[in-house]
Amino acid sequence: MESTVASKLEALLKLQSIDSQLDEIRRVRGDLPEEVQDLEDEIEGYEVRVRKFDDEVAGLNESIGQRKQAIKDSESLINKYEDQQQNVRNNREYDAITKEIELQKLDIQVAEKKIREAHYQIEQKIAEIEGTKNRLEERRKDLDNKKHELDQIVSESEEEENKLAKERDTASHDIEERLLSAYNRIRKNVRNGLAVVQVKRDACGGCFNTVPPQRQADIAAQKKVIVCEHCGRILAGVEQRVF
């Protein structure tokens, strides 16, 4: 049997009441969940940076090893060329070998310069690693404190929150999908999370703009779902004044 508009609005009001209670529980936590997330993101960034520096240091050490081997190879060639110089047949051969020796010595000088530069870069990277690790340790302590604070707050309201979450699931099942989707969309777009309100003192209970008498009569009749023309909230009824 198809639900009446009145029963749909009643179901929405019930869901709104549950969501408002959940909002209040979560509001007590303040910005702690966001602060915890921000710290976790910051820590992850520092960890990535440390790994990047470690990789760079490893690459520099590898290049140093390669250049040291190149120096040994050049020294071996120099020794070989110097031996060959003892057995040359003419000045041209002697000069050619001398040139090869000079080239190898030049290669050694370049390699030694590159090694010194790499050692300097390693020192800089290690200093950056230490600084980053210090900041990382500070942020980890901050995160532990924030998590502990948040866990305490959550534990105090966990039972009530779980109970309300189950009630919300049950209440949501009583609302047709199209209307539930509209409700969730409105809640997401309004600041105070109120998607369903009543008309109070001739005004929308969400944005407080005046609702004309004829529109109030239509709302009270509950023949169709009516939304506030100013804020788009669902107007589920007109609160009766008590004189």
Side-chain angles (χ1 to χ4, degrees), residues 61-187:
N61 278 320
E62 185 178 352
S63 72
I64 288 172
Q66 291 171 347
R67 294 187 192 285
K68 284 183 176 180
Q69 183 58 51
I71 288 172
K72 287 181 180 180
D73 293 342
S74 291
E75 288 173 342
S76 296
L77 284 173
I78 288 171
N79 291 332
K80 175 185 174 182
Y81 291 143
E82 286 176 343
D83 289 340
Q84 289 178 355
Q85 274 185 327
Q86 304 303 317
N87 301 308
V88 294
R89 290 170 295 182
N90 52 57
N91 288 338
R92 193 172 75 175
E93 287 184 6
Y94 184 89
D95 291 342
I97 293 173
T98 299
K99 186 175 181 180
E100 288 296 330
I101 291 172
E102 290 173 351
L103 287 173
Q104 292 303 319
K105 287 181 177 179
L106 182 61
D107 285 345
I108 290 172
Q109 290 176 356
V110 171
E112 287 174 340
K113 180 184 177 184
K114 293 293 184 182
I115 289 172
R116 288 193 298 271
E117 291 174 352
H119 278 304
Y120 176 77
Q121 289 177 325
I122 288 172
E123 290 176 5
Q124 298 299 308
K125 296 295 179 186
I126 289 174
E128 290 183 49
I129 289 171
E130 289 304 311
T132 303
K133 283 184 175 178
N134 289 336
R135 290 192 292 274
L136 178 57
E137 187 60 30
E138 290 174 3
R139 290 297 178 268
R140 281 175 174 160
K141 289 178 182 177
D142 291 340
L143 178 60
D144 287 342
N145 291 334
K146 292 291 183 183
K147 276 188 171 180
H148 179 68
E149 187 179 351
L150 181 59
D151 288 344
Q152 280 188 317
I153 294 173
V154 169
S155 65
E156 291 170 2
S157 59
E158 186 174 15
E159 185 177 345
E160 178 66 14
E161 186 175 5
N162 289 337
K163 175 175 170 288
L164 286 168
K166 289 178 182 178
E167 290 180 8
R168 188 188 194 282
D169 286 340
T170 302
S172 296
H173 288 316
D174 295 334
I175 302 170
E176 61 186 76
E177 187 175 345
R178 180 184 61 82
L179 200 55
L180 182 61
S181 177
Y183 167 83
N184 288 329
R185 184 178 65 253
I186 296 168
R187 253 180 67 78

Side-chain angles (χ1 to χ4, degrees), residues 2 25 36-37 39 41 47 51 65-66 71 113 143 157 161 170 208-209 218 220 222-223 225 228:
E2 188 177 348
I25 288 173
V36 167
Q37 184 61 56
L39 282 168
D41 292 343
E47 289 172 341
R51 288 197 296 270
Q66 291 171 347
I71 288 172
K113 180 184 177 184
L143 178 60
S157 59
E161 186 175 5
T170 302
F208 310 113
N209 278 292
D218 293 338
Q222 295 189 327
K223 298 296 184 183
V225 177
C228 175

